[in-house]
Amino acid sequence: MARAPSTIGSSLDLDLFQALELIRTKGLKRIGLQAPEGLKRALPEMAREISQQTGAEVIISGDPCFGACDIDLATCQEVDLLFHLGHAGLGEASSKIVFLEGKMKEDLNEAVERAIPLLKMKRVGLATTVQHVHKLSQAVEVLKEHGIEALIGPTCERLRYPGQVLGCCYYSVKAVETDEILFIGTGQFHAIGIALATGKRVVASDPFTGEANLIDPDPMLRRRFGAISGAGHARRFAILVSKKAGQRRWEVAKYIKDLGETNEREMFIIYLDEIEPDRLLNLGIEAAVSTACPRVALDDTAKFKIPIITPPEFEILIGKRRWEDYSFDEII
Ligand code: SF4
């Protein structure tokens, strides 16, 4: 029998060998594959390998996937086992789901070296995403060579690895006893989240683009102030609740509904899967509070014709929280 490749794609290790072993050992006949957009290209190759090497039928989930919060439960019902690629699991998951996390091959040494001139403190917290978390010890060593102590924060129910962050959870970096964080990872998405969630000084270094920079959360805060002000005139609000299991927050929605109604707003709970502008068009609402992924309000706001704000931002709008006490919306 041919040895299965353990690597799919050029820079990400996905342990296909582990997947094949599992399928063979359990004698599974029908397998599901789900991946975020950035990994979807790997799925046909993976499906072919699985069916050639195990004889199992493979079904690829065709719906968008945004995170481990977003398991395709419909596909899961149709298969013996669903492999979810590229994310670490969030807390407890069904025994029918296996997370193949995906590990970036790139070393972090250069990314840390580039960030060092931007760091101010001799103790910094380290943060990264699940794709790089297995290489955080490299970052610790490089910082140590430059006389900087690295602190790696703890896990929580939503974070599987020390030092890991998610776009909706920054527990690890809040817990470290330092006011400066070095984030190593792609893009600004998580780095701005760290700055907003912790109020700490954040330096971000991208191992792929080679860019390192100091994060300035002010432009985002100005946009959030604008969104809250825009929603301030609204009387009729939607409270968006996600059908995705890892984003569904009924308790928060209920709290926001009570808060709004106590303050003479009309509040309607809208339960939906994808939060897209056309889903809200015909509801006659003037603004929305999203209890789903916090990034919907923060990063996709320009797509919507009405202001979309987070639950803590609604508290500011109502006057229950001061703007000075702005709080990043996290899913705990
Ligand atoms: S809720 Fe949003 S940020 Fe959190 S895991 Fe899901 S997609 Fe990522």
Side-chain angles (χ1 to χ4, degrees), residues 55-89:
E57 180 187 4
V58 182
I59 296 171
I60 295 174
S61 168
D63 288 324
C65 169
F66 297 100
C69 58
D70 190 7
I71 302 295
D72 184 344
L73 296 175
T75 298
C76 204
Q77 280 182 356
E78 300 292 336
V79 296
D80 299 323
L81 198 70
L82 176 78
F83 288 104
H84 180 104
L85 276 59
H87 301 121

Tab-separated table of all heavy atoms in Angstrom, residues 55-89:
chain	number	residue	atom	x	y	z
A	55	GLY	N	-10.894	3.286	0.346
A	55	GLY	CA	-12.144	2.850	-0.267
A	55	GLY	C	-13.359	3.594	0.272
A	55	GLY	O	-14.486	3.363	-0.144
A	56	ALA	N	-13.155	4.512	1.207
A	56	ALA	CA	-14.294	5.255	1.781
A	56	ALA	C	-14.826	6.284	0.771
A	56	ALA	O	-14.061	6.831	-0.031
A	56	ALA	CB	-13.867	5.961	3.064
A	57	GLU	N	-16.113	6.513	0.844
A	57	GLU	CA	-16.718	7.582	0.030
A	57	GLU	C	-16.466	8.918	0.746
A	57	GLU	O	-16.567	8.989	1.977
A	57	GLU	CB	-18.220	7.327	-0.080
A	57	GLU	CG	-18.966	8.350	-0.891
A	57	GLU	CD	-20.480	8.146	-0.815
A	57	GLU	OE1	-20.941	7.252	-0.074
A	57	GLU	OE2	-21.184	8.914	-1.474
A	58	VAL	N	-16.130	9.952	-0.007
A	58	VAL	CA	-15.803	11.242	0.631
A	58	VAL	C	-16.765	12.327	0.146
A	58	VAL	O	-16.995	12.478	-1.053
A	58	VAL	CB	-14.351	11.667	0.320
A	58	VAL	CG1	-14.023	12.971	1.036
A	58	VAL	CG2	-13.377	10.579	0.750
A	59	ILE	N	-17.321	13.058	1.093
A	59	ILE	CA	-18.215	14.185	0.778
A	59	ILE	C	-17.535	15.462	1.249
A	59	ILE	O	-17.141	15.579	2.418
A	59	ILE	CB	-19.570	14.013	1.492
A	59	ILE	CG1	-20.271	12.768	0.957
A	59	ILE	CG2	-20.437	15.252	1.332
A	59	ILE	CD1	-21.500	12.383	1.732
A	60	ILE	N	-17.408	16.433	0.337
A	60	ILE	CA	-16.780	17.709	0.685
A	60	ILE	C	-17.870	18.733	1.024
A	60	ILE	O	-18.801	18.924	0.240
A	60	ILE	CB	-15.915	18.233	-0.479
A	60	ILE	CG1	-14.738	17.280	-0.729
A	60	ILE	CG2	-15.419	19.651	-0.215
A	60	ILE	CD1	-13.897	17.621	-1.945
A	61	SER	N	-17.758	19.373	2.161
A	61	SER	CA	-18.721	20.421	2.534
A	61	SER	C	-18.491	21.634	1.632
A	61	SER	O	-17.380	22.162	1.573
A	61	SER	CB	-18.508	20.804	4.006
A	61	SER	OG	-19.230	21.987	4.286
A	62	GLY	N	-19.540	22.077	0.963
A	62	GLY	CA	-19.398	23.194	0.024
A	62	GLY	C	-19.747	24.543	0.615
A	62	GLY	O	-19.585	25.574	-0.036
A	63	ASP	N	-20.214	24.560	1.845
A	63	ASP	CA	-20.616	25.845	2.432
A	63	ASP	C	-19.402	26.602	2.967
A	63	ASP	O	-18.373	25.997	3.263
A	63	ASP	CB	-21.614	25.599	3.567
A	63	ASP	CG	-22.967	25.171	3.025
A	63	ASP	OD1	-23.348	25.682	1.952
A	63	ASP	OD2	-23.620	24.317	3.648
A	64	PRO	N	-19.547	27.936	3.124
A	64	PRO	CA	-18.435	28.693	3.703
A	64	PRO	C	-18.148	28.208	5.119
A	64	PRO	O	-19.042	27.716	5.809
A	64	PRO	CB	-18.959	30.138	3.749
A	64	PRO	CG	-20.184	30.160	2.928
A	64	PRO	CD	-20.712	28.767	2.845
A	65	CYS	N	-16.886	28.340	5.537
A	65	CYS	CA	-16.515	27.936	6.897
A	65	CYS	C	-15.586	28.999	7.468
A	65	CYS	O	-14.582	29.352	6.858
A	65	CYS	CB	-15.813	26.584	6.852
A	65	CYS	SG	-15.051	26.148	8.412
A	66	PHE	N	-15.947	29.531	8.640
A	66	PHE	CA	-15.197	30.671	9.176
A	66	PHE	C	-14.343	30.332	10.384
A	66	PHE	O	-13.514	31.122	10.802
A	66	PHE	CB	-16.160	31.806	9.525
A	66	PHE	CG	-16.879	32.331	8.314
A	66	PHE	CD1	-18.171	31.933	8.036
A	66	PHE	CD2	-16.235	33.186	7.444
A	66	PHE	CE1	-18.832	32.386	6.906
A	66	PHE	CE2	-16.880	33.649	6.308
A	66	PHE	CZ	-18.183	33.250	6.042
A	67	GLY	N	-14.588	29.182	10.998
A	67	GLY	CA	-13.798	28.860	12.185
A	67	GLY	C	-14.265	27.535	12.765
A	67	GLY	O	-15.176	26.883	12.234
A	68	ALA	N	-13.647	27.152	13.883
A	68	ALA	CA	-14.053	25.911	14.543
A	68	ALA	C	-15.450	26.050	15.140
A	68	ALA	O	-16.077	25.068	15.519
A	68	ALA	CB	-13.057	25.559	15.634
A	69	CYS	N	-15.937	27.296	15.216
A	69	CYS	CA	-17.291	27.560	15.699
A	69	CYS	C	-18.334	27.150	14.669
A	69	CYS	O	-19.517	27.157	14.947
A	69	CYS	CB	-17.439	29.062	15.954
A	69	CYS	SG	-17.105	30.014	14.448
A	70	ASP	N	-17.871	26.848	13.467
A	70	ASP	CA	-18.746	26.757	12.300
A	70	ASP	C	-18.672	25.351	11.704
A	70	ASP	O	-18.228	25.159	10.580
A	70	ASP	CB	-18.234	27.819	11.295
A	70	ASP	CG	-19.171	28.012	10.132
A	70	ASP	OD1	-20.259	27.433	10.153
A	70	ASP	OD2	-18.785	28.745	9.205
A	71	ILE	N	-19.088	24.358	12.473
A	71	ILE	CA	-19.058	22.973	11.996
A	71	ILE	C	-20.271	22.723	11.099
A	71	ILE	O	-21.382	23.133	11.430
A	71	ILE	CB	-19.121	21.991	13.204
A	71	ILE	CG1	-17.953	22.232	14.161
A	71	ILE	CG2	-19.136	20.544	12.716
A	71	ILE	CD1	-16.605	21.941	13.606
A	72	ASP	N	-20.050	22.049	9.991
A	72	ASP	CA	-21.154	21.724	9.088
A	72	ASP	C	-21.916	20.516	9.648
A	72	ASP	O	-21.607	19.361	9.347
A	72	ASP	CB	-20.598	21.432	7.688
A	72	ASP	CG	-21.715	21.193	6.685
A	72	ASP	OD1	-22.866	20.958	7.111
A	72	ASP	OD2	-21.431	21.228	5.480
A	73	LEU	N	-22.915	20.802	10.454
A	73	LEU	CA	-23.636	19.726	11.147
A	73	LEU	C	-24.487	18.901	10.189
A	73	LEU	O	-24.714	17.715	10.408
A	73	LEU	CB	-24.503	20.319	12.266
A	73	LEU	CG	-23.709	21.002	13.391
A	73	LEU	CD1	-24.641	21.654	14.393
A	73	LEU	CD2	-22.784	20.012	14.090
A	74	ALA	N	-24.940	19.548	9.105
A	74	ALA	CA	-25.754	18.800	8.128
A	74	ALA	C	-24.893	17.737	7.449
A	74	ALA	O	-25.312	16.580	7.313
A	74	ALA	CB	-26.340	19.760	7.098
A	75	THR	N	-23.675	18.107	7.044
A	75	THR	CA	-22.777	17.114	6.445
A	75	THR	C	-22.408	16.054	7.483
A	75	THR	O	-22.336	14.865	7.184
A	75	THR	CB	-21.506	17.795	5.899
A	75	THR	OG1	-21.886	18.709	4.867
A	75	THR	CG2	-20.516	16.790	5.323
A	76	CYS	N	-22.222	16.501	8.709
A	76	CYS	CA	-21.858	15.591	9.797
A	76	CYS	C	-22.901	14.469	9.942
A	76	CYS	O	-22.563	13.321	10.187
A	76	CYS	CB	-21.751	16.403	11.088
A	76	CYS	SG	-20.703	15.657	12.308
A	77	GLN	N	-24.167	14.818	9.745
A	77	GLN	CA	-25.236	13.810	9.877
A	77	GLN	C	-25.182	12.757	8.773
A	77	GLN	O	-25.690	11.658	8.919
A	77	GLN	CB	-26.597	14.502	9.812
A	77	GLN	CG	-26.963	15.137	11.134
A	77	GLN	CD	-28.335	15.777	11.088
A	77	GLN	OE1	-28.980	15.819	10.044
A	77	GLN	NE2	-28.773	16.289	12.204
A	78	GLU	N	-24.566	13.146	7.644
A	78	GLU	CA	-24.557	12.256	6.481
A	78	GLU	C	-23.371	11.308	6.457
A	78	GLU	O	-23.290	10.444	5.593
A	78	GLU	CB	-24.524	13.097	5.182
A	78	GLU	CG	-25.699	14.030	4.995
A	78	GLU	CD	-27.007	13.281	4.758
A	78	GLU	OE1	-26.951	12.121	4.299
A	78	GLU	OE2	-28.072	13.829	5.066
A	79	VAL	N	-22.407	11.503	7.354
A	79	VAL	CA	-21.147	10.746	7.253
A	79	VAL	C	-20.847	10.009	8.568
A	79	VAL	O	-21.467	10.280	9.602
A	79	VAL	CB	-19.964	11.705	6.911
A	79	VAL	CG1	-20.162	12.340	5.542
A	79	VAL	CG2	-19.786	12.774	7.988
A	80	ASP	N	-19.867	9.093	8.495
A	80	ASP	CA	-19.432	8.397	9.714
A	80	ASP	C	-18.525	9.294	10.540
A	80	ASP	O	-18.494	9.215	11.771
A	80	ASP	CB	-18.656	7.121	9.350
A	80	ASP	CG	-19.521	6.151	8.560
A	80	ASP	OD1	-20.728	6.065	8.864
A	80	ASP	OD2	-19.000	5.513	7.626
A	81	LEU	N	-17.737	10.140	9.850
A	81	LEU	CA	-16.788	11.021	10.545
A	81	LEU	C	-16.534	12.247	9.679
A	81	LEU	O	-16.404	12.128	8.456
A	81	LEU	CB	-15.466	10.270	10.761
A	81	LEU	CG	-14.529	10.855	11.806
A	81	LEU	CD1	-15.100	10.658	13.206
A	81	LEU	CD2	-13.161	10.178	11.719
A	82	LEU	N	-16.507	13.411	10.321
A	82	LEU	CA	-16.203	14.651	9.585
A	82	LEU	C	-14.826	15.135	10.005
A	82	LEU	O	-14.567	15.348	11.196
A	82	LEU	CB	-17.249	15.718	9.914
A	82	LEU	CG	-17.004	17.100	9.291
A	82	LEU	CD1	-17.413	17.112	7.817
A	82	LEU	CD2	-17.766	18.193	10.034
A	83	PHE	N	-13.926	15.322	9.035
A	83	PHE	CA	-12.632	15.950	9.323
A	83	PHE	C	-12.768	17.450	9.069
A	83	PHE	O	-13.121	17.866	7.959
A	83	PHE	CB	-11.527	15.374	8.434
A	83	PHE	CG	-11.145	13.977	8.810
A	83	PHE	CD1	-11.570	12.898	8.054
A	83	PHE	CD2	-10.370	13.749	9.931
A	83	PHE	CE1	-11.227	11.607	8.415
A	83	PHE	CE2	-10.021	12.450	10.299
A	83	PHE	CZ	-10.452	11.383	9.538
A	84	HIS	N	-12.510	18.231	10.104
A	84	HIS	CA	-12.568	19.694	9.994
A	84	HIS	C	-11.115	20.185	9.966
A	84	HIS	O	-10.355	19.970	10.909
A	84	HIS	CB	-13.329	20.265	11.192
A	84	HIS	CG	-13.453	21.754	11.176
A	84	HIS	ND1	-14.607	22.411	10.834
A	84	HIS	CD2	-12.543	22.708	11.448
A	84	HIS	CE1	-14.405	23.719	10.902
A	84	HIS	NE2	-13.155	23.921	11.277
A	85	LEU	N	-10.750	20.857	8.893
A	85	LEU	CA	-9.348	21.188	8.671
A	85	LEU	C	-9.001	22.612	9.115
A	85	LEU	O	-9.800	23.540	8.933
A	85	LEU	CB	-9.020	21.084	7.173
A	85	LEU	CG	-8.672	19.710	6.613
A	85	LEU	CD1	-9.775	18.705	6.808
A	85	LEU	CD2	-8.332	19.825	5.128
A	86	GLY	N	-7.802	22.761	9.649
A	86	GLY	CA	-7.214	24.087	9.822
A	86	GLY	C	-7.519	24.781	11.132
A	86	GLY	O	-6.953	25.841	11.402
A	87	HIS	N	-8.418	24.254	11.948
A	87	HIS	CA	-8.744	24.906	13.225
A	87	HIS	C	-8.601	23.913	14.368
A	87	HIS	O	-8.752	22.714	14.163
A	87	HIS	CB	-10.188	25.434	13.230
A	87	HIS	CG	-10.472	26.431	12.160
A	87	HIS	ND1	-11.445	26.249	11.198
A	87	HIS	CD2	-9.907	27.630	11.890
A	87	HIS	CE1	-11.462	27.295	10.380
A	87	HIS	NE2	-10.544	28.143	10.773
A	88	ALA	N	-8.353	24.438	15.557
A	88	ALA	CA	-8.387	23.596	16.760
A	88	ALA	C	-9.814	23.588	17.288
A	88	ALA	O	-10.535	24.577	17.146
A	88	ALA	CB	-7.439	24.158	17.817
A	89	GLY	N	-10.214	22.483	17.889
A	89	GLY	CA	-11.583	22.389	18.413
A	89	GLY	C	-11.839	23.383	19.533
A	89	GLY	O	-10.928	23.784	20.249
